């Protein structure tokens, strides 16, 4: 019964402290339902019982306006309930802030509008947090621009990413799977798209993955690598492939304009070619396409030369019928 | 105004029962307003405390760039003006309009001196670039090693600026008092506006008495 | 009766200038009421635009940027232009002097000035809309608000100006309550609405200056880059949150305390019963106002405060909950052995008790730190504060309007339509916001223009009911104004519900230009239904 209810109210319980928090929820929930029924039942009962019946004379009513017994009850019962809630809330909270010593530390950086994850053995991923199961993971959060907040519903955990200091959160995932991450601190145009995934793997699988991380995807053709990077590096948050505009111009539009002039908001223009694409990825603030805002972060250091080539090849390959 | 008593004094508003009630109400509201003022500055004092606790050394070193003599002079000027203000009220209570007028003018002049000295201080800071936030450009030998000295000047300019604005508003009010006293609208019968503005003026003085040591005398 | 209607504050004196320059608190209150309701409609329209966008997961209706503007303006208009100024400004202005037996508020000129300052501030907010909106959220969190290219400055300037209006109204009310009561009207004989306005005013004059200074710092940050909130210049964006919530949490009580006052009037009158626990309700109003200043940190449980702060803020937060709970029980017990009539105001009051209880209880979930970490900035919070602000304040406001409408304007609205609308508001409200609790628990973050498929069912459900809510509120208010316009006015008499406070017993409907034809003499307490039978003049 409780499991069914938990499924109804909450996302999956994946972290070690999730069930504790859900139990706290149910404690407050049942106490609240009880109090709520007392209130509503009392209200309806008194209102109906003492309703002014048709034809009844107006009369002097009772002067009763207090009852020490009732008032003490109304005071003491909620006091007991909130005291339990308070202590429980704090105890569970302390478990959430004390990070185990053997935790793997991953650096999380928020930036409008994607997340970057730096792993302890080198290597970086964008919008994909890969972690082993049954192993405490410590996340050190910060932001490169405005406030963001890192929220993993299945872990029941959340922490703001601030531009001037580091915040810490941790979790220990108990089940393998792919789960949602949301940004919960409003950060502008792309706020609702600033999602990411946490991928929980078996430890052995994670080891393998971690070893491969950083090694180049040399084997696959450039345009296919570009297609992978398009989602992996979060280009898709702002640039579509179907010609519609989001925060930035669509790749399809740029591809179709290949070799033609592009006009910028300062009135200058340039021909769309490989050099233009490369500089607009690495130095996006220098040339802003007319009608768009200067919001794209630089990818300097996040893409190597082969990856840049791959993205350019991918963009050139696009046409109306492209399917990703 | 149907039920206004024809014998009531001119300054009594029709919705008050009597002069006492009207006076008490004004005085009460003035003190409530003083509470509001105190909380306005309290917000800034909190900002001061926060930043001072983050950058204790910077605050101590940066404060040396302020001119203590001018600050001290301003303190004396303002305390004196508080005294003349109090004397003006005392004089009007004794129905000595002439003395009251002189004292009000003296208060006005002192307030003007305060702003004048403040102007000299500010203009020097503008010249050398000891300015708030990103406009800060002063790179003298005593500050090059400092961590974020512009923060000190941000807070300095906001707090003394807001205080200066109060002084200016106070001057406007005192000018009006001078006019009203000169016209003979105020007397020992009715001097509520002068008393209220007096309270305000003492508050402006009091805030400066906190600002002076917090900016000029730390370390 | 007809003689009373001959000369009242609505028709005497005549002429546009006599309205624009009026010093009469009732006329000023009416001007606040009309402007407040216009802003309420505007804010409500924006809410419906948001619900339209959220009916389906993608950007089907409006773009992200438009959505961000719409939700920011919805919040800012509802809070700063409607709830905070309009409820004390409208109902408070009309009723407070009547309730204490005064001819006017303590400073009528200041009162008029407050209204114009409010209008002036509102102009800036309107300019913001015409000029393309503002997209920071009504909280204006730095550093986003210092970088955004939208109209942050006009909006914050508008709020800053409206803040002055709030402070001046607060000063005026406090002075009125302290000094303008008629002889014999001691503190414990004051109607509880007066206590509530008193508590509200105290918060207004103590919290609003901090908001004003925060808005000034934000504007200076944008104009001059002073660096107080800018991490790049050694400042701290979290400091902004402390400043902002130090005002904005007490502001929650500016919004809810008048509602408590309205409910404390409606229930005893329509139950014809002495109110339960008068002194408790009066004192808890003040203690809630005070404790409200100490809990701002619970808005920042995920900002990385020290563990100690988290514990302290969580602890103090519960001290708001308990007196509020006892208040709810007191209102319910007031009906015990009374004569309860299910009039439109009473239906709103009962609806308030139902909705506000949910709003209050869900606050307990959010006060528990460990659980708040999961729920923070999700739809659970959205649902919670709408249950408090709309289910609480606005439902009480509608109840208050229906309660005092016949007194203020000397006309009675259509009772049947009013009752149907009260049900419509109740159902529409629950239908709109209850699903949002579930959305939040399942992890749906707030301020999202788009969302993933899993949330679509609850969102579309919420959108459907929001339409019913909107229509019900609109008809309810139109029903009121219609009674004012139509020709064959129903005369409710001076005391339609049989109230015992001075505005019912000692003046006509609508009241005399100077409130009372002769100085009122207090004959009984505000709720002495056990001592005196007061006849109803309606039905």
């Amino acid at each position: 019964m409780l499991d069914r209810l938990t499924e109804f109210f909450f996302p999956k319980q994946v972290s070690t402290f999730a069930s504790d928090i859900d139990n706290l929820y149910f404690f407050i929930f049942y106490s609240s339902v009880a109090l709520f029924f007392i209130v509503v039942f009392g209200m309806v009962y008194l209102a109906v019982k003492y309703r002014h019946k048709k034809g009844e004379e107006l009369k002097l009513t009772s002067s009763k306006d207090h009852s020490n017994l009732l008032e003490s009850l109304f005071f003491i019962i909620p006091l007991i309930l909130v005291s339990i809630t308070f202590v429980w809330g704090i105890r569970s909270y302390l478990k959430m802030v004390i990070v185990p010593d053997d935790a793997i530390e991953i650096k999380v950086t928020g930036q409008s509008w994607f997340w970057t994850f730096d792993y302890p053995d080198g290597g970086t991923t964008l919008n994909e947090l890969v972690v082993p199961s049954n192993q405490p993971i410590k996340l050190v959060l910060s932001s490169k621009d405005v406030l963001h907040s890192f929220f993993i519903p299945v872990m029941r955990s959340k922490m703001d990413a601030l531009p001037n200091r580091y915040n810490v959160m941790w979790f220990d995932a108990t089940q393998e799977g792919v789960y949602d991450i949301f940004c919960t601190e409003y950060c502008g145009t792309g706020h609702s798209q600033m999602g990411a995934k946490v991928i929980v793997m078996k430890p052995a699988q994670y080891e393998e993955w971690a070893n491969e991380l950083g090694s180049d995807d040399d084997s696959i053709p450039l345009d296919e690598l570009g297609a992978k990077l398009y989602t992996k590096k979060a280009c898709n948050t702002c640039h579509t492939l179907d010609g519609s505009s989001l925060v930035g111009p669509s790749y399809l539009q740029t591809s179709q304009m290949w070799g033609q002039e592009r006009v910028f908001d300062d009135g200058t223009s340039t021909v769309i070619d490989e050099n233009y694409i490369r500089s607009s990825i690495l130095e996006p603030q220098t040339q802003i396409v007319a009608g768009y805002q200067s919001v794209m972060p630089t990818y300097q250091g996040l893409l190597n030369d082969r990856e840049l080539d791959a993205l350019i090849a991918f963009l050139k390959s696009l046409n109306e019928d492209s399917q990703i | 105004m149907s039920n206004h008593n024809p014998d009531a004094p001119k300054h009594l508003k029709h919705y008050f029962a009597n002069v006492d009630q009207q006076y008490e109400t004004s005085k009460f509201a003035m003190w409530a307003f003083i509470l509001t003022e105190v909380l306005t500055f309290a917000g800034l004092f909190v900002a001061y405390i926060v930043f001072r606790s983050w950058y204790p050394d910077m605050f101590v070193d940066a404060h040396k760039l302020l001119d203590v003599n001018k600050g001290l002079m301003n303190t004396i000027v303002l305390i004196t003006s508080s005294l003349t203000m109090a004397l003006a009220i005392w004089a009007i209570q004794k129905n000595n309009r002439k003395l009251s007028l002189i004292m009000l003018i003296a208060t006005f002049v002192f307030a003007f001196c305060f702003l004048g000295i403040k102007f000299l201080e500010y203009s020097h800071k503008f010249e050398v670039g000891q300015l708030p936030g990103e406009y800060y450009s002063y790179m003298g030998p005593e500050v090059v090693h400092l961590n974020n000295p512009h923060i000190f000047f941000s807070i300095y300019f906001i707090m003394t600026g807001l205080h200066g604005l109060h002084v200016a508003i106070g001057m406007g009010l005192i000018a009006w008092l001078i006019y009203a006293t000169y016209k003979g609208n105020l007397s020992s019968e009715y001097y509520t506006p002068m008393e209220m503005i007096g309270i305000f003026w003492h508050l402006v003085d009091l805030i400066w008495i906190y600002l002076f040591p917090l900016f000029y005398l730390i370390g | 009766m007809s003689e009373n209607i001959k000369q009242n504050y609505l028709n005497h004196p005549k002429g546009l200038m006599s309205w624009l320059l009026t010093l009469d608190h009732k006329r000023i209150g009416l001007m606040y009421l009309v402007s407040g309701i216009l802003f309420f409609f505007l804010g409500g329209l924006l809410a419906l635009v948001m619900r339209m966008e959220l009916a389906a997961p993608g950007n089907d209706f409006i773009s992200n940027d438009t959505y961000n503007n719409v939700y920011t303006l919805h919040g800012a208009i509802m809070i700063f232009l409607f709830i905070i100024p309009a409820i004390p400004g409208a109902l408070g202005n009309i009723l407070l002097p009547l309730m204490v037996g005064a001819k006017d508020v303590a400073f009528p000129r200041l009162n008029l000035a407050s209204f114009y300052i409010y209008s002036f501030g509102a102009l800036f907010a309107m300019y913001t809309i015409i000029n393309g909106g503002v997209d920071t959220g009504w909280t204006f969190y730095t550093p986003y608000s210092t970088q955004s290219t939208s109209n942050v400055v006009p909006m914050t300037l508008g709020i800053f100006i409206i803040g002055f209006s709030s402070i001046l109204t607060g000063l005026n009310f406090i002075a009125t309550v302290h000094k303008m009561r008629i002889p014999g009207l001691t503190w414990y004989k004051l109607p509880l609405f007066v206590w509530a306005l008193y508590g509200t005013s105290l918060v207004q004059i103590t919290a609003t200056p901090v908001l004003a200074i925060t808005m000034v710092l934000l504007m200076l940050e944008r104009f001059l880059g002073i660096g107080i909130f800018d991490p790049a210049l050694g400042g701290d964006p979290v400091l902004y949150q402390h400043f902002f919530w130090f005002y904005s949490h007490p502001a929650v009580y500016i919004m809810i305390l008048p509602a408590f006052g309205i409910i404390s009037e409606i229930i005893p009158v329509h139950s014809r019963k002495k109110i339960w626990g008068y002194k408790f309700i009066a004192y808890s109003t003040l203690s809630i106002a005070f404790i409200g200043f100490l809990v701002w940190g619970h808005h920042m449980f995920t900002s990385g405060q020290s563990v100690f702060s988290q514990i302290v803020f969580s602890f103090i937060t519960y001290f708001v909950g308990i007196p509020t709970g006892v208040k709810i029980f007191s209102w319910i017990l007031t009906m015990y052995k009374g004569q309860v009539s299910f009039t439109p105001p009473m239906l709103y009051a009962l609806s308030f008790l139902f909705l506000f209880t949910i709003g209050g209880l869900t606050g307990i979930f959010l006060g528990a730190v460990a659980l708040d970490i999961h729920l923070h900035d999700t739809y659970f919070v959205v649902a919670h504060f709408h249950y408090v602000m709309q289910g609480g304040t606005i439902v009480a406001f509608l109840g208050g309007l229906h309660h005092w409408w016949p007194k203020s304007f000397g006309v009675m609205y259509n009772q049947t339509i009013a009752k149907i609308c009260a049900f419509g508001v109740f159902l529409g409200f629950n239908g709109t916001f209850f699903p949002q609790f579930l959305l939040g628990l399942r992890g749906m973050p707030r301020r999202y223009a788009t969302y993933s498929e899993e949330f679509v069912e609850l969102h579309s459900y919420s959108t459907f009911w929001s339409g019913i809510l909107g229509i019900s509120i609109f008809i309810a208010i139109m029903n009121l104004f219609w009674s004012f316009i139509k020709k064959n006015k129903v005369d409710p008499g001076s005391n339609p519900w049989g109230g015992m406070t001075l505005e019912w017993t000692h003046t006509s409907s609508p009241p005399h230009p100077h409130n009372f034809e002769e100085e009122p003499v207090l004959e009984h307490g505000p709720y002495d239904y056990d001592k005196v039978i007061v006849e109803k003049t309606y039905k």
Side-chain angles (χ1 to χ4, degrees), chain B residues 30-49:
Chain B
M30 192 64 210
W31 281 108
F33 177 70
I34 295 295
L35 179 66
T36 301
E37 285 283 6
V38 166
L39 275 146
T40 311
F41 279 93
L44 292 173
F45 279 114
V46 168
Y48 173 94
I49 293 167

Side-chain angles (χ1 to χ4, degrees), chain A residues 7-11 21-22 24-26 28-33 35-36 38-40 42-44 46-53 56-67 70-71 74-75 78-83 85-94 96-97 112-113 145-147 149 151-165 167 180-195 246-247 293, chain C residues 59 64-65 68 71-72 135-137 141-144 147 149 231 235-238 241 271-278 280 301-307 310-311 314-315 318 322-323 326 328-330 332-342 349-351 353-354 357-358 361-362 364-365 368-378 380 438 440-452 454-455 528-536:
Chain A
E7 264 172 48
F8 178 70
F9 281 116
F10 285 100
I21 289 165
D22 293 359
L24 169 61
Y25 171 82
F26 283 108
I28 310 176
F29 178 72
Y30 287 124
S31 318
S32 298
V33 168
L35 287 172
F36 181 68
I38 295 172
V39 166
V40 173
M43 178 174 92
V44 173
L46 290 175
V48 171
K49 174 148 192 218
Y50 297 107
R51 72 185 179 281
H52 187 192
K53 295 172 194 80
E56 190 186 10
E57 295 265 312
L58 293 179
K59 57 176 191 205
L60 289 180
T61 48
S62 155
S63 56
K64 186 157 183 63
D65 66 352
H66 68 280
S67 147
L70 274 178
E71 262 135 55
F74 294 155
F75 196 78
L79 187 68
I80 294 171
L81 291 176
V82 297
S83 304
T85 307
F86 169 72
V87 173
W88 195 336
I90 294 304
R91 277 176 50 133
S92 309
Y93 172 66
L94 290 177
M96 296 171 81
V97 285
S112 299
W113 295 279
D145 38 43
V146 297
L147 305 180
S149 189
F151 177 33
I152 318 178
V154 292
M155 308 296 178
R156 307 286 184 275
S157 199
K158 177 186 292 143
M159 185 53 94
D160 289 0
L162 307 173
N164 61 330
R165 58 169 92 149
N167 273 339
D180 282 326
I181 295 172
F182 297 114
C183 173
T184 51
E185 187 66 71
Y186 174 68
C187 53
T189 311
H191 173 54
S192 17
Q193 277 82 33
M194 196 174 158
L246 281 178
V247 179
Q293 289 191 338
Chain C
N59 284 106
N64 280 359
D65 282 326
N68 294 339
Y71 91 73
T72 302
D135 72 341
T136 58
Y141 270 18
T142 54
Y144 186 77
Q147 295 168 9
T149 50
D236 181 19
V238 177
Q241 297 179 21
S271 311
R272 296 189 70 79
K273 175 70 202 317
K274 194 171 193 178
I275 194 152
W276 193 279
Y278 177 96
F280 181 83
F301 278 160
T302 63
S303 71
Q305 301 183 93
S306 71
V307 175
Q310 306 271 75
I311 294 173
S314 167
F315 184 74
Y318 288 123
I322 290 176
V326 183
I328 289 176
F329 286 117
S330 297
I332 289 171
L333 285 170
T334 300
M335 295 187 285
Y336 174 68
K337 288 193 175 170
Q339 285 183 304
V340 182
S341 312
F342 294 100
L350 295 176
S351 163
L353 289 176
F354 185 99
T357 305
I358 296 179
L361 287 170
T362 47
I364 302 292
F365 293 80
V369 189
L371 193 52
D372 181 77
I373 303 251
H374 177 64
L375 298 174
H376 195 87
D377 274 338
T378 66
F380 193 91
L438 271 178
L441 283 165
R442 292 178 189 174
M444 166 82 204
R446 65 193 281 208
R447 297 175 170 182
Y448 268 31
T450 62
Y451 51 87
S452 49
E454 55 185 306
F455 301 122
D528 283 347
Y529 287 98
D530 53 334
K531 299 202 181 83
V532 187
I533 292 187
V534 187
E535 292 299 328
K536 300 180 184 182

Side-chain angles (χ1 to χ4, degrees), chain C residues 500-520:
Chain C
M500 297 198 103
T501 42
L502 291 171
E503 86 273 24
W504 299 114
T505 53
H506 280 74
T507 186
S508 53
S509 310
H512 187 267
H514 288 152
N515 288 356
F516 305 98
E517 301 228 26
E518 49 207 57
E519 178 123 334

